[in-house]
Coordinates of all heavy atoms in Angstrom, one line a residue:
M1 N 3.2 -29.3 10.3 CA 3.0 -28.0 10.8 C 4.1 -27.7 11.9 O 4.6 -26.6 11.9 CB 1.6 -27.9 11.5 CG 1.2 -26.5 11.8 SD 0.8 -25.7 10.3 CE -0.5 -24.6 10.9
A2 N 4.5 -28.6 12.7 CA 5.5 -28.4 13.7 C 6.8 -28.0 13.0 O 7.5 -27.2 13.5 CB 5.6 -29.6 14.6
S3 N 7.1 -28.7 11.9 CA 8.4 -28.4 11.2 C 8.4 -26.9 10.6 O 9.4 -26.3 10.6 CB 8.6 -29.4 10.1 OG 7.6 -29.3 9.1
M4 N 7.2 -26.5 10.2 CA 7.1 -25.1 9.7 C 7.4 -24.1 10.9 O 8.0 -23.1 10.7 CB 5.8 -24.8 9.1 CG 5.6 -25.5 7.7 SD 4.1 -25.3 6.9 CE 3.7 -23.6 7.1
D5 N 6.9 -24.4 12.1 CA 7.1 -23.6 13.3 C 8.5 -23.5 13.6 O 9.1 -22.5 14.0 CB 6.3 -24.1 14.5 CG 4.8 -23.7 14.4 OD1 4.5 -22.9 13.6 OD2 4.0 -24.3 15.1
K6 N 9.2 -24.6 13.5 CA 10.7 -24.7 13.8 C 11.4 -23.9 12.8 O 12.3 -23.1 13.2 CB 11.2 -26.1 13.9 CG 10.7 -26.9 15.1 CD 11.3 -28.3 15.1 CE 10.8 -29.1 16.3 NZ 11.3 -30.4 16.3
Q7 N 11.1 -24.0 11.5 CA 11.8 -23.2 10.5 C 11.6 -21.7 10.7 O 12.5 -20.9 10.5 CB 11.3 -23.6 9.1 CG 11.8 -25.0 8.7 CD 11.2 -25.4 7.4 OE1 10.3 -24.8 6.9 NE2 11.6 -26.6 6.9
A8 N 10.4 -21.3 11.1 CA 10.1 -19.9 11.3 C 10.6 -19.4 12.7 O 10.4 -18.3 13.0 CB 8.7 -19.6 11.1
G9 N 11.2 -20.2 13.4 CA 11.7 -19.8 14.7 C 10.6 -19.6 15.7 O 10.6 -18.8 16.6
N10 N 9.5 -20.4 15.5 CA 8.3 -20.3 16.4 C 7.7 -19.0 16.5 O 7.1 -18.6 17.5 CB 8.7 -20.9 17.8 CG 9.0 -22.3 17.8 OD1 8.4 -23.1 17.0 ND2 9.8 -22.8 18.7
K11 N 7.9 -18.1 15.5 CA 7.3 -16.8 15.5 C 6.0 -16.9 14.8 O 5.8 -17.4 13.8 CB 8.2 -15.8 14.8 CG 9.5 -15.5 15.4 CD 10.3 -14.5 14.7 CE 11.6 -14.2 15.4 NZ 12.4 -13.3 14.6
K12 N 5.0 -16.3 15.5 CA 3.7 -16.2 14.9 C 3.6 -14.9 14.2 O 3.9 -13.9 14.8 CB 2.6 -16.3 16.0 CG 2.7 -17.6 16.8 CD 2.0 -18.7 16.1 CE 2.0 -19.9 17.1 NZ 1.5 -21.1 16.5
T13 N 3.1 -14.9 13.0 CA 3.0 -13.7 12.2 C 1.5 -13.2 12.3 O 0.6 -14.0 12.3 CB 3.4 -13.8 10.8 OG1 2.6 -14.9 10.2 CG2 4.8 -14.1 10.6
K14 N 1.3 -11.9 12.5 CA 0.0 -11.4 12.6 C -0.4 -10.8 11.2 O 0.4 -10.0 10.7 CB 0.0 -10.3 13.7 CG -1.4 -9.8 14.0 CD -1.4 -8.6 14.9 CE -1.1 -9.0 16.3 NZ -1.3 -7.9 17.2
T15 N -1.5 -11.1 10.7 CA -1.9 -10.5 9.4 C -2.6 -9.2 9.7 O -3.2 -9.0 10.7 CB -2.9 -11.5 8.7 OG1 -4.0 -11.7 9.5 CG2 -2.2 -12.8 8.3
V16 N -2.4 -8.3 8.8 CA -2.9 -6.9 9.0 C -4.1 -6.8 8.0 O -3.9 -7.1 6.8 CB -1.9 -5.9 8.7 CG1 -2.5 -4.5 8.9 CG2 -0.7 -6.0 9.7
A17 N -5.2 -6.3 8.5 CA -6.4 -6.2 7.6 C -6.1 -5.1 6.6 O -5.4 -4.1 6.9 CB -7.6 -5.8 8.5
P18 N -6.6 -5.2 5.4 CA -6.4 -4.2 4.3 C -6.7 -2.8 4.8 O -6.0 -1.8 4.4 CB -7.3 -4.7 3.2 CG -7.4 -6.1 3.4 CD -7.4 -6.3 4.9
D19 N -7.8 -2.6 5.6 CA -8.1 -1.3 6.1 C -7.0 -0.7 6.9 O -6.8 0.5 6.9 CB -9.5 -1.3 6.8 CG -10.7 -1.5 6.0 OD1 -10.6 -1.3 4.7 OD2 -11.7 -2.0 6.5
R20 N -6.4 -1.5 7.7 CA -5.3 -1.1 8.6 C -4.1 -0.7 7.8 O -3.4 0.3 8.1 CB -5.0 -2.2 9.6 CG -3.9 -1.8 10.5 CD -4.4 -0.7 11.5 NE -3.2 -0.1 12.2 CZ -2.9 1.1 12.3 NH1 -3.7 2.0 11.8 NH2 -1.8 1.5 12.9
L21 N -3.9 -1.4 6.7 CA -2.8 -1.1 5.8 C -3.0 0.3 5.2 O -2.1 1.1 5.1 CB -2.6 -2.1 4.7 CG -2.0 -3.4 5.1 CD1 -2.0 -4.4 3.9 CD2 -0.6 -3.2 5.6
R22 N -4.2 0.6 4.8 CA -4.5 1.9 4.2 C -4.3 3.0 5.3 O -3.8 4.1 5.0 CB -5.9 1.9 3.6 CG -6.1 1.4 2.3 CD -7.4 1.7 1.7 NE -8.5 1.0 2.3 CZ -8.8 -0.3 1.9 NH1 -8.2 -0.9 1.0 NH2 -9.8 -0.8 2.5
Q23 N -4.8 2.7 6.5 CA -4.6 3.7 7.6 C -3.1 3.9 7.8 O -2.7 5.1 8.0 CB -5.3 3.2 8.8 CG -5.2 4.2 10.0 CD -5.9 5.5 9.7 OE1 -7.0 5.5 9.1 NE2 -5.3 6.6 10.1
R24 N -2.3 2.9 7.9 CA -0.9 3.0 8.1 C -0.2 3.9 7.1 O 0.6 4.7 7.3 CB -0.2 1.7 8.2 CG 1.2 1.7 8.6 CD 1.9 0.4 8.7 NE 1.3 -0.3 9.8 CZ 1.3 -1.7 9.9 NH1 1.9 -2.4 9.0 NH2 0.8 -2.3 10.9
T25 N -0.6 3.7 5.8 CA -0.1 4.5 4.7 C -0.5 5.9 4.9 O 0.4 6.8 4.7 CB -0.6 3.9 3.4 OG1 -0.2 2.6 3.3 CG2 0.0 4.7 2.2
A26 N -1.7 6.2 5.3 CA -2.1 7.6 5.5 C -1.4 8.2 6.6 O -0.9 9.4 6.6 CB -3.6 7.7 5.7
D27 N -1.2 7.4 7.7 CA -0.4 7.9 8.9 C 1.0 8.2 8.5 O 1.6 9.2 8.9 CB -0.4 6.9 10.0 CG -1.8 6.8 10.7 OD1 -2.6 7.7 10.5 OD2 -2.0 5.8 11.4
D28 N 1.6 7.3 7.7 CA 3.0 7.5 7.2 C 3.1 8.8 6.4 O 4.1 9.5 6.5 CB 3.5 6.3 6.4 CG 3.7 5.1 7.2 OD1 3.8 5.2 8.5 OD2 3.8 4.0 6.6
Q29 N 2.1 9.0 5.6 CA 2.2 10.2 4.7 C 2.1 11.5 5.6 O 2.7 12.5 5.4 CB 1.0 10.2 3.7 CG 1.3 9.2 2.6 CD 0.1 9.1 1.7 OE1 -1.0 9.6 1.9 NE2 0.3 8.4 0.6
N30 N 1.2 11.4 6.6 CA 1.0 12.6 7.5 C 2.4 12.8 8.3 O 2.7 14.0 8.4 CB -0.1 12.3 8.5 CG -1.5 12.4 7.8 OD1 -1.6 12.9 6.8 ND2 -2.4 11.7 8.5
V31 N 3.0 11.8 8.7 CA 4.3 12.0 9.5 C 5.3 12.5 8.5 O 6.1 13.4 8.9 CB 4.7 10.6 10.1 CG1 6.1 10.7 10.6 CG2 3.8 10.2 11.2
G32 N 5.4 12.0 7.3 CA 6.3 12.4 6.3 C 6.1 13.9 6.0 O 7.1 14.7 5.9
T33 N 4.9 14.3 5.8 CA 4.6 15.7 5.6 C 5.0 16.6 6.7 O 5.6 17.7 6.5 CB 3.1 15.9 5.3 OG1 2.8 15.1 4.1 CG2 2.7 17.3 5.0
A34 N 4.7 16.2 7.9 CA 5.1 17.0 9.1 C 6.6 17.1 9.3 O 7.2 18.1 9.6 CB 4.5 16.3 10.4
L35 N 7.3 16.0 9.0 CA 8.8 16.0 9.1 C 9.4 16.9 8.0 O 10.3 17.7 8.3 CB 9.4 14.6 8.9 CG 9.2 13.7 10.1 CD1 9.6 12.3 9.8 CD2 10.0 14.2 11.3
R36 N 8.9 16.9 6.8 CA 9.4 17.8 5.7 C 9.1 19.2 6.1 O 10.0 20.1 5.9 CB 8.8 17.4 4.4 CG 9.4 16.2 3.7 CD 8.9 16.0 2.3 NE 7.5 15.5 2.3 CZ 7.1 14.3 2.5 NH1 7.9 13.4 2.7 NH2 5.8 14.0 2.5
A37 N 8.0 19.5 6.7 CA 7.6 20.9 7.0 C 8.6 21.4 8.1 O 9.1 22.5 8.1 CB 6.2 21.0 7.5
A38 N 8.8 20.5 9.1 CA 9.7 20.9 10.2 C 11.2 21.1 9.7 O 11.8 22.1 10.1 CB 9.7 19.9 11.3
Y39 N 11.6 20.3 8.8 CA 12.9 20.4 8.3 C 13.0 21.7 7.5 O 14.0 22.5 7.6 CB 13.3 19.2 7.3 CG 14.6 19.4 6.6 CD1 15.8 19.1 7.3 CD2 14.6 19.8 5.3 CE1 17.0 19.2 6.6 CE2 15.8 19.9 4.6 CZ 17.0 19.7 5.3 OH 18.2 19.8 4.6
Q40 N 12.0 22.0 6.6 CA 12.1 23.2 5.8 C 12.1 24.5 6.7 O 12.7 25.4 6.4 CB 10.9 23.2 4.8 CG 11.0 24.3 3.8 CD 12.2 24.2 2.9 OE1 12.6 23.1 2.4 NE2 13.0 25.2 2.8
Q41 N 11.3 24.4 7.8 CA 11.3 25.5 8.7 C 12.6 25.8 9.3 O 13.1 26.9 9.4 CB 10.2 25.2 9.8 CG 9.8 26.4 10.6 CD 8.6 26.1 11.5 OE1 8.5 24.9 11.9 NE2 7.8 27.1 11.9
A42 N 13.3 24.7 9.7 CA 14.7 24.9 10.2 C 15.7 25.4 9.2 O 16.5 26.2 9.5 CB 15.1 23.5 10.8
V43 N 15.6 24.9 8.0 CA 16.4 25.4 6.9 C 16.2 26.9 6.6 O 17.1 27.6 6.3 CB 16.2 24.6 5.6 CG1 16.9 25.2 4.4 CG2 16.7 23.1 5.8
D44 N 15.0 27.3 6.7 CA 14.6 28.7 6.4 C 14.9 29.7 7.5 O 14.9 30.9 7.2 CB 13.1 28.8 6.0 CG 12.8 28.1 4.7 OD1 13.7 27.9 3.9 OD2 11.6 27.8 4.5
E45 N 15.3 29.2 8.7 CA 15.6 30.1 9.8 C 16.9 30.9 9.4 O 17.8 30.4 8.9 CB 15.9 29.3 11.1 CG 14.6 28.9 11.8 CD 14.9 28.2 13.1 OE1 16.0 28.5 13.7 OE2 14.1 27.4 13.5
K46 N 16.9 32.1 9.9 CA 18.0 33.0 9.7 C 19.1 32.7 10.8 O 18.7 32.3 11.9 CB 17.7 34.5 9.9 CG 16.7 34.9 8.8 CD 17.3 35.1 7.5 CE 16.3 35.6 6.5 NZ 16.7 35.4 5.1
V47 N 20.3 32.8 10.4 CA 21.4 32.6 11.4 C 21.5 33.8 12.3 O 21.7 34.9 11.7 CB 22.7 32.2 10.7 CG1 23.8 32.0 11.8 CG2 22.6 31.0 9.9
P48 N 21.5 33.7 13.6 CA 21.6 34.9 14.4 C 22.9 35.6 14.2 O 23.9 34.9 14.0 CB 21.5 34.4 15.8 CG 20.9 33.0 15.7 CD 21.2 32.5 14.4
S49 N 22.9 36.9 14.3 CA 24.1 37.7 14.1 C 25.2 37.3 15.1 O 26.4 37.3 14.8 CB 23.8 39.2 14.1 OG 23.3 39.6 15.4
E50 N 24.8 37.0 16.3 CA 25.8 36.6 17.3 C 26.5 35.3 16.9 O 27.8 35.2 17.1 CB 25.1 36.3 18.7 CG 24.4 37.5 19.3 CD 23.0 37.8 18.8 OE1 22.5 36.9 18.0 OE2 22.4 38.8 19.2
M51 N 25.8 34.4 16.3 CA 26.5 33.2 15.8 C 27.4 33.5 14.6 O 28.5 33.0 14.6 CB 25.4 32.2 15.4 CG 26.0 30.9 14.9 SD 26.8 29.9 16.1 CE 25.5 29.4 17.1
L52 N 27.0 34.4 13.8 CA 27.8 34.8 12.6 C 29.1 35.5 13.1 O 30.2 35.2 12.6 CB 27.1 35.7 11.7 CG 25.9 35.0 10.9 CD1 25.2 36.0 10.1 CD2 26.4 33.9 10.0
D53 N 29.0 36.3 14.2 CA 30.1 37.0 14.8 C 31.1 35.9 15.3 O 32.3 36.0 15.1 CB 29.7 37.9 15.9 CG 29.0 39.2 15.3 OD1 29.2 39.5 14.1 OD2 28.3 39.8 16.1
L54 N 30.6 34.9 16.1 CA 31.4 33.9 16.6 C 32.1 33.1 15.5 O 33.3 32.8 15.6 CB 30.6 33.0 17.5 CG 30.2 33.5 18.9 CD1 29.2 32.6 19.5 CD2 31.3 33.8 19.8
L55 N 31.4 32.8 14.5 CA 32.0 32.1 13.4 C 33.1 32.8 12.7 O 34.1 32.3 12.3 CB 30.9 31.6 12.4 CG 30.0 30.5 12.9 CD1 28.8 30.4 11.9 CD2 30.7 29.2 13.0
S56 N 32.9 34.1 12.6 CA 33.9 35.0 11.9 C 35.2 35.0 12.7 O 36.3 35.2 12.2 CB 33.4 36.4 11.6 OG 33.2 37.1 12.8
K57 N 35.1 34.9 14.0 CA 36.3 34.9 14.9 C 37.1 33.6 14.8 O 38.3 33.6 15.2 CB 35.8 35.1 16.3 CG 35.3 36.5 16.6 CD 34.8 36.7 18.0 CE 34.2 38.1 18.2 NZ 33.7 38.3 19.5
L58 N 36.5 32.6 14.2 CA 37.3 31.4 14.1 C 38.3 31.4 12.9 O 39.2 30.6 12.8 CB 36.3 30.2 13.8 CG 35.4 29.8 15.0 CD1 34.4 28.7 14.5 CD2 36.3 29.3 16.1
N59 N 38.1 32.4 12.0 CA 39.0 32.5 10.8 C 40.3 33.1 11.2 O 40.9 33.7 11.6 CB 38.4 33.2 9.7 CG 37.3 32.4 9.0 OD1 37.4 31.2 9.0 ND2 36.3 33.0 8.5

């Protein structure tokens, strides 16, 4: 057993209960959905006319 601890760098691994894995997956899906919604909202925003005027002056 001691040789296995040395090989693993004395790291203890924690097992995760199957219910917790299901919860993590649901949480990940919720975060993913929220991030996609926030990204889409930013993409759909109109560019302010002041910004377009400034950009046109760069040409």
